[in-house]
Amino acid sequence: MIAVTGRLRQLAVIGAAVLMLACNLGFDPAPTDLEAAGQRGMYAAYPVAFAPHPFTFAIWLPIFVGAIAFAFYQAWPTWRDDPQLDRIGRRAAAGYLLVGGTAFTPLGPSNLVVAAAFVCLAGALLAARPLSAGAGRWLVRAPLGLFAGWLLVATTLNACQLAQSLEVPTGPLAAAALMIGASLAAMVLARRSNEQAVLVAVIWALAGITAANPDAGIIWVAWGTSLLVITTLLRVERDHNPGRQAEREYGIWAKARKM
């Protein structure tokens, strides 16, 4: 029974990853044109201060590469009966399918689809927390962290786009507030999953938003505040992490014995 479940999970992850790539690349008339990517669809229909610079969408390349790497890793026969990869794989496959579905959904429903995809991938990331070294870290947890971090910002962006479509004012001040909120949410997810790739994606996205609004001082302030919040909380977490504190104390004790 376990073998059957594991085999189904392996096939589901591979199939979902392939469908996600096909839907997001195969149905896009210019999938590699970053300038066009930033000017199509909801970005062109509802321009807001929270929309990132076109170069920001280059992050999809490592995200897709990471999804492929994870799909191949979990498909290895050695991991067929791994219960942890079953938990991770089910959530990841659902997230991949939802991301693929955004290619066919209009703005309103797309917001819900992206939010649901974020929940699935965040759940997969949390389930992958114990994979802290080696291939498990770099082929499972890190790709999921990068993907979840990007979808976190995308969910916030979609809320801003939806508000604009409903003629609710969404100027630089609202964008700045959303940037800070996204950075705080990313910090919580990064600390609970112990995966810093979440922050890499969020910092990259917020940098793209800032670059797209060079004359908006409030957005530059939000960018600086977000970095300050992230670095401060990382410092606090590091200083109060019992495991790391024990490692430091053991290192000092070991050096003292050698003297």
Side-chain angles (χ1 to χ4, degrees):
M1 182 64 182
I2 294 177
V4 174
T5 302
R7 192 175 292 109
L8 288 175
R9 177 259 301 166
Q10 290 177 319
L11 293 173
V13 172
I14 292 175
V18 170
L19 285 173
M20 177 180 67
L21 292 172
C23 292
N24 284 274
L25 298 179
F27 293 94
D28 192 327
T32 60
D33 187 344
L34 295 180
E35 187 66 33
Q39 301 299 325
R40 288 194 298 272
M42 64 182 182
Y43 303 108
Y46 306 107
V48 294
F50 199 63
H53 192 280
F55 78 77
T56 319
F57 297 95
I59 197 174
W60 279 110
L61 176 59
I63 285 176
F64 285 154
V65 170
I68 294 171
F70 169 60
F72 276 103
Y73 175 80
Q74 62 85 43
W76 201 255
T78 306
W79 309 118
R80 178 170 296 164
D81 300 331
D82 190 301
Q84 185 174 44
L85 279 176
D86 280 346
R87 291 191 295 272
I88 298 169
R90 288 195 298 267
R91 294 170 173 84
Y96 293 165
L97 288 174
L98 288 167
V99 170
T102 59
F104 307 99
T105 51
L107 176 59
S110 178
N111 295 338
L112 298 176
V113 173
V114 172
F118 165 70
V119 170
C120 291
L121 288 169
L125 176 61
L126 293 173
R129 178 187 171 92
L131 304 177
S132 58
R137 165 72 195 283
W138 298 109
L139 298 181
V140 180
R141 207 176 79 181
L144 289 172
L146 192 70
F147 208 159
W150 175 255
L151 289 182
L152 172 59
V153 179
T155 301
T156 314
L157 168 60
N158 286 353
C160 197
Q161 298 287 157
L162 182 60
Q164 184 76 2
S165 71
L166 298 174
E167 299 182 354
V168 176
T170 53
L173 182 60
L178 289 170
M179 287 172 65
I180 295 173
S183 68
L184 289 170
M187 193 65 242
V188 172
L189 180 59
R191 292 182 67 174
R192 292 196 173 186
S193 64
N194 199 29
E195 180 50 60
Q196 308 309 316
V198 175
L199 300 178
V200 172
V202 172
I203 291 173
W204 174 262
L206 298 186
I209 294 167
T210 306
N213 299 272
D215 299 325
I218 188 65
I219 289 184
W220 282 95
V221 170
W223 162 239
T225 303
S226 297
L227 285 180
L228 181 62
V229 166
I230 288 173
T231 54
T232 300
L233 289 178
L234 278 177
R235 179 68 182 176
V236 169
E237 195 274 339
R238 186 175 67 179
D239 289 345
H240 292 83
N241 186 296
R244 290 176 182 162
Q245 181 65 26
E247 289 176 4
R248 287 197 294 269
E249 291 175 355
Y250 174 78
I252 295 172
W253 176 78
K255 289 179 181 178
R257 288 195 62 185
K258 292 180 179 179
M259 294 178 62

